[in-house]
Amino acid sequence: MSFTKLKSQVMVECLNINCVSVSDPGWTSINRGVLICDECCSVHRSLGRHISIVKHLRHSGWPPALLQMVQTLASNGANSIWEHSLLDPAQVQSGRRKPNPQDKVHPTKSEFIRAKYQMLAFVHKLPCRDDDGVTTKDLSKQLHSSVRTGSLETCLRLLSLGAQANFFHPEKGTTPLHVAAKAGQILQAELLVVYGADPGAPDINGRTPMDYARQAGHMELAERLVECQYELTDRLAFYLCGRRPDHKNGHYIIPQMADRYTPNLDLSELAKAAKKKLQALNNRLFEELAMDVYDEVDRRENDAVWLTTQNHSTLVTERSAVPFLPVNPEYSATRNQGRQKLARFNAREFATLIIDILSDAKRRQQGKETSKPFDKKLPLFPDPVDPGIDDDQHDYDSVASDEDTDTHSHTVSMMQSMDSSDLSDGPITLQEYLEVKKALASSEAKVQQLMKVNNNLSEELRRLQKEVWSRYGTDSDYDNTQTVVMKPCSCGCGCSSSMGRSSEEEGGGELGEPNPSLPCTEDVILKTEQVTKNIQELLRAAQEFKHDSFVPCSEKIHSAVTEMASLFPKRPALDAVHCSLRLLASSASRLQVECRKAAPSEPGAPAVDYQLLTQQVIQCAYDIAKAAKQLVTITTREKKQ
C-alpha cells in the first residue's frame, strides 16, 4: 500500500485520534498502530518508548513488513481500541470528551494523550476477578490462538488488555510467535516482536520461531525474524555507517572511527584500559547499557528527522523538545539518570560508546557456546551460563587482545582526562562506566538539542550586531533607563503580558496613543544576548537535573526580559511588536511560576513530577527565545527601511 493511499484511507481516523489538526499526519506510534501529527508527536515522544514508539512515515527507515503492519492497524480502526469507552454515548452526556483540534497542546491535548496511552484510561475494562493472573493467562491463551489468523486488530486489543507476547503455552509447548511463524503470519510476527516477543525463544523441543518458519516454507518470514533477533546491534551499526549485515555472511558490522579523531596518538594501553572497563561489566549491566544506547539512538534519529521536517522560519523546537530519554518508572533511579546522561555525549563520544558496545557484544557472543544474539527488549544472555561462573564476576579476559586493540584505538584521545584511579581492577557498575565516558571529554560535553537552538540564535544575533555596527557605528543614543510596568493580558488568562514604560516616564505622546518609534537595533541585540545567555544557563541546569537552580535562573531571565521590553514604547504602532512583547512577558511570567514548583515543598505536599516540570520550563524558555528573536528581526527590518 502506498503512503498516499494510506493517507486517504485513514484521514478520518486521524481526525478521530484527536492529535491531528492538519491534513497530513507525518508520524506514527508503532506499538499503538495510530498516525499522529507534528504537535502531538512531541507529546508521544515525551512519554518514552516504553509507552509509545514513534517513527516518521516518510523520513525514517522502515522494514517493509513493519510499515505494512502499522498501515494495516491504522486502516482498520486501531484507534478505537485506545478510545473504547469514549465511543459510549453515555460518556459524552457525562461531559467526558476528547479535545477539539483547536485546543492547546499543553495542557489539554497532552493530558488526554497521557490518559489515553500511558494510563490506558479508555480501553475496554475486563470484569474484576480475584486472581488477576488467571485473567492474564486467559488473554494470553487467546492471543496464542488468534495470531494464526490475519486479524491484527484483535491481537492488538488482547495485548492492550494485558496478554503477554512471550506467553509459553503449557499444553502446546510454544509461544504466540511460534504459532504466527508456522502460519506464515508475518504481520502478526511484527506486532508480537514490537510488544517484546523473543524471536529466538525455544519451544518445548528447543525449536525457535525461525525454525518453524523455515520448516513451513516461509523463508521471507524466517529471514525477517533473524533481522528482528539482531535488531539492537544492526541499528547501532546502521546509525554510524549506514549499513546493516546481511546475516548470511556474518551478524556484526563494527564501524571504524575516522582517523581525524585520533591523530598521531599511540596510547594503546589507555585504549585497553577503556575496553577493560566495559568488559568488566557483568552481563546484566552490559545488556542494560546496550538497550539504553539503543533508545538514545532512536531519540537522536527522531530529533534529526524533526529538524529536517520543521518549518525553519520559526523556532524549530517551539512546540516541545525531547532533550533526553524520558523516565521509565520500571527502571531504577540510577539507571534513569544514566540513560538521560547519554544525551550529553557529543557525536564523537557517542560514536565511541557505540563502537565499544558493538565490539564487546560480538566478543561476548563468540565467547559463549550458545548462539543467542542481542535482542533489544529481552536480556542479551537469557540462556543458562556455566554454573561455575558467577554473573556478577568477570567471565572474560580483563585485557583486550592485540587484535581488538586496533579496532578500539579511537578511544585513546578520550582517555587522557581519566585519573589513574579509574583504571583499577575492582568491580564496576553501569553508572561508573557512564561516568568514565562522561569524563573522557568533559570540556566538549554540550547540551545538544536545546543548546543548538540557542546557539543558532546567538549566531544570528552576532551577525545582526556586526551589521548594525557597520551601518550605524557603536554609539547608542537611546536611553533605556525607564521604569517597566506590567499589565494584565487582554486575553483574560491573568498573566502579565504588556510590558512597557509608565506614562509618567514615557516622554512622548498621550496615554493610549501608539508610538511609532523603535529602539536602536544594537540595544535590542545586546539585551537579547543577555536573555539568551540566561536561557542557556537554565537549560544547562535542566539538563544536569539541578532543579534548585530553576528559581534563580528564572529570576535572571525575567530581569533580562524586563530590561529588553523597556526599550520599546508602551504602545508600539506595529502589531507584530505588540504581539512579540506580549509573548515575551507572558512566557517570562509563566516561567517564574513553573520554576517555583521546583522549590522544596511543605511536608505532606504532593511529590513534584520533575519530568513534566522540566518540559514545561523548557517550553517557556523556548517561547521567550522565540519572542526575542521576533523582536530582533522586526527591529532590524524596520530600521533598514
Side-chain angles (χ1 to χ4, degrees):
M1 182 187 300
S2 68
F3 178 72
T4 303
K5 185 177 181 181
L6 172 67
K7 287 198 301 180
S8 63
Q9 287 186 359
V10 300
M11 195 57 59
V12 175
E13 171 69 14
C14 294
L15 295 175
N16 288 338
I17 293 173
N18 205 20
C19 62
V20 191
S21 56
V22 295
S23 59
D24 185 14
W27 299 81
T28 181
S29 174
I30 295 177
N31 57 323
R32 304 305 183 183
V34 297
L35 304 185
I36 52 180
C37 66
D38 278 0
E39 64 180 9
C40 291
C41 166
S42 61
V43 180
H44 276 258
R45 290 186 62 204
S46 70
L47 299 177
R49 296 186 75 255
H50 58 289
I51 301 297
S52 183
I53 304 174
V54 175
K55 202 176 186 70
H56 198 277
L57 284 167
R58 295 182 297 277
H59 294 278
S60 298
W62 281 91
L66 181 61
L67 178 59
Q68 186 179 355
M69 184 270 289
V70 172
Q71 292 173 337
T72 302
L73 285 174
S75 301
N76 287 277
N79 185 59
S80 62
I81 295 174
W82 313 109
E83 295 184 356
H84 177 86
S85 64
L86 293 181
L87 301 178
D88 184 357
Q91 296 292 338
V92 178
Q93 296 175 2
S94 66
R96 197 175 190 182
R97 66 169 186 84
K98 298 185 296 183
N100 294 315
Q102 63 269 20
D103 287 338
K104 294 182 178 180
V105 176
H106 300 287
T108 307
K109 288 184 179 179
S110 62
E111 290 180 353
F112 174 78
I113 293 172
R114 288 180 181 277
K116 179 177 176 181
Y117 296 113
Q118 185 172 17
M119 308 305 296
L120 301 181
F122 313 123
V123 300
H124 176 63
K125 298 297 190 298
L126 293 173
C128 296
R129 297 192 183 184
D130 295 336
D131 185 357
D132 289 338
V134 174
T135 300
T136 300
K137 185 176 180 180
D138 290 343
L139 289 169
S140 299
K141 284 186 174 181
Q142 291 182 44
L143 177 67
H144 189 279
S145 176
S146 298
V147 293
R148 70 179 73 251
T149 72
S151 180
L152 280 179
E153 57 273 18
T154 297
C155 293
L156 180 60
R157 190 179 300 276
L158 290 169
L159 290 165
S160 73
L161 295 175
Q164 300 300 303
N166 270 312
F167 172 73
F168 188 85
H169 199 294
E171 291 83 21
K172 307 291 185 181
T174 56
T175 69
L177 192 54
H178 286 93
V179 177
K182 183 177 181 179
Q185 294 291 344
I186 189 169
L187 301 188
Q188 294 282 24
E190 291 287 348
L191 179 62
L192 289 170
V193 170
V194 166
Y195 273 83
D198 181 7
D203 69 356
I204 195 171
N205 297 314
R207 294 184 300 170
T208 67
M210 291 171 287
D211 296 330
Y212 274 65
R214 292 190 183 100
Q215 291 171 4
H218 307 303
M219 302 311 296
E220 180 184 355
L221 174 54
E223 293 176 359
R224 176 59 186 150
L225 288 174
V226 173
E227 293 176 355
C228 291
Q229 196 172 19
Y230 287 90
E231 163 66 15
L232 189 151
T233 51
D234 282 5
R235 187 166 185 184
L236 296 188
F238 187 82
Y239 176 75
L240 290 185
C241 65
R243 294 188 297 117
R244 292 185 175 90
D246 59 10
H247 297 293
K248 295 178 181 178
N249 301 312
H251 297 298
Y252 295 93
I253 292 178
I254 312 297
Q256 295 289 331
M257 185 72 78
D259 293 339
R260 66 178 181 273
Y261 289 142
T262 55
N264 302 322
L265 289 176
D266 185 17
L267 300 175
S268 58
E269 291 303 319
L270 288 179
K272 289 181 180 180
K275 283 193 60 180
K276 184 177 178 180
K277 288 292 188 182
L278 185 62
Q279 292 170 348
L281 291 173
N282 63 50
N283 288 339
R284 180 180 60 83
L285 293 180
F286 181 77
E287 293 160 6
E288 291 181 354
L289 174 61
M291 290 186 284
D292 293 345
V293 169
Y294 176 96
D295 288 349
E296 175 65 13
V297 165
D298 182 81
R299 187 193 70 82
R300 295 190 182 205
E301 286 184 338
N302 278 336
D303 274 353
V305 173
W306 179 270
L307 292 172
T308 301
T309 57
Q310 296 308 293
N311 181 0
H312 288 271
S313 63
T314 60
L315 201 63
V316 295
T317 53
E318 64 183 277
R319 290 189 175 95
S320 271
V322 184
F324 41 72
L325 290 174
V327 172
N328 185 337
E330 296 182 359
Y331 297 159
S332 66
T334 300
R335 183 176 179 184
N336 275 309
Q337 291 174 359
R339 284 165 55 86
Q340 295 183 345
K341 288 180 180 179
L342 290 173
R344 300 177 60 186
F345 286 28
N346 61 30
R348 183 180 67 178
E349 294 167 342
F350 193 55
T352 302
L353 176 57
I354 290 176
I355 294 174
D356 287 347
I357 289 174
L358 288 171
S359 299
D360 210 56
K362 180 179 180 180
R363 184 184 65 82
R364 292 185 185 222
Q365 166 133 4
Q366 292 174 342
K368 293 264 183 188
E369 292 182 359
T370 176
S371 60
K372 186 70 178 177
F374 299 93
D375 183 73
K376 65 183 174 67
K377 302 175 186 68
L378 299 174
L380 306 185
F381 295 99
D383 300 307
V385 297
D386 187 280
I389 298 177
D390 184 354
D391 190 50
D392 290 332
Q393 297 179 354
H394 306 168
D395 46 2
Y396 303 101
D397 293 339
S398 60
V399 179
S401 65
D402 292 337
E403 179 182 357
D404 288 340
T405 300
D406 293 336
T407 302
H408 286 271
S409 61
H410 58 270
T411 61
V412 171
S413 65
M414 306 186 63
M415 295 296 300
Q416 291 176 310
S417 62
M418 290 181 59
D419 189 278
S420 59
S421 62
D422 290 332
L423 307 181
S424 63
D425 293 331
I428 183 172
T429 66
L430 170 64
Q431 183 66 17
E432 289 173 333
Y433 179 73
L434 290 176
E435 291 297 336
V436 170
K437 282 294 181 180
K438 172 186 173 183
L440 293 179
S442 59
S443 61
E444 296 182 10
K446 299 179 180 179
V447 182
Q448 295 189 0
Q449 181 62 27
L450 298 177
M451 302 305 291
K452 281 180 182 178
V453 176
N454 282 280
N455 287 339
N456 290 339
L457 179 57
S458 297
E459 291 177 3
E460 182 174 352
L461 290 173
R462 284 193 292 271
R463 180 184 64 79
L464 293 172
Q465 188 176 44
K466 290 180 181 179
E467 182 178 339
V468 170
W469 283 347
S470 62
R471 189 179 183 90
Y472 300 106
T474 59
D475 295 333
S476 174
D477 57 356
Y478 193 83
D479 181 8
N480 60 356
T481 60
Q482 292 88 342
T483 303
V484 174
V485 295
M486 305 287 293
K487 299 188 69 177
C489 173
S490 59
C491 67
C493 64
C495 64
S496 299
S497 61
S498 298
M499 280 189 171
R501 294 184 297 273
S502 63
S503 58
E504 292 84 0
E505 298 177 316
E506 178 68 27
E510 298 179 358
L511 181 62
E513 207 173 271
N515 190 333
S517 64
L518 288 176
C520 174
T521 307
E522 180 188 355
D523 289 342
V524 178
I525 292 174
L526 291 175
K527 296 299 181 184
T528 304
E529 284 182 335
Q530 186 60 45
V531 172
T532 302
K533 179 181 178 181
N534 293 330
I535 288 178
Q536 290 174 338
E537 182 180 351
L538 174 65
L539 298 180
R540 196 173 292 112
Q543 188 76 5
E544 296 174 357
F545 313 103
K546 296 180 179 179
H547 302 114
D548 55 345
S549 299
F550 278 14
V551 172
C553 286
S554 67
E555 296 295 341
K556 291 181 182 179
I557 293 174
H558 189 274
S559 177
V561 165
T562 300
E563 292 180 6
M564 181 176 181
S566 69
L567 299 175
F568 292 84
K570 181 181 177 182
R571 288 290 306 276
L574 295 176
D575 290 339
V577 174
H578 177 74
C579 292
S580 297
L581 287 171
R582 186 169 59 183
L583 175 62
L584 187 71
S586 61
S587 300
S589 298
R590 284 192 295 112
L591 179 64
Q592 285 187 303
V593 173
E594 294 295 335
C595 287
R596 291 191 187 111
K597 296 178 182 178
S601 56
E602 296 291 336
V608 178
D609 184 350
Y610 283 107
Q611 179 188 5
L612 178 61
L613 174 62
T614 300
Q615 292 172 354
Q616 298 294 342
V617 167
I618 291 172
Q619 180 65 50
C620 293
Y622 280 134
D623 288 341
I624 293 172
K626 175 184 177 181
K629 178 180 178 180
Q630 291 173 345
L631 289 171
V632 171
T633 302
I634 295 170
T635 305
T636 304
R637 182 182 65 241
E638 293 298 321
K639 290 294 183 180
K640 285 183 178 181
Q641 294 179 355

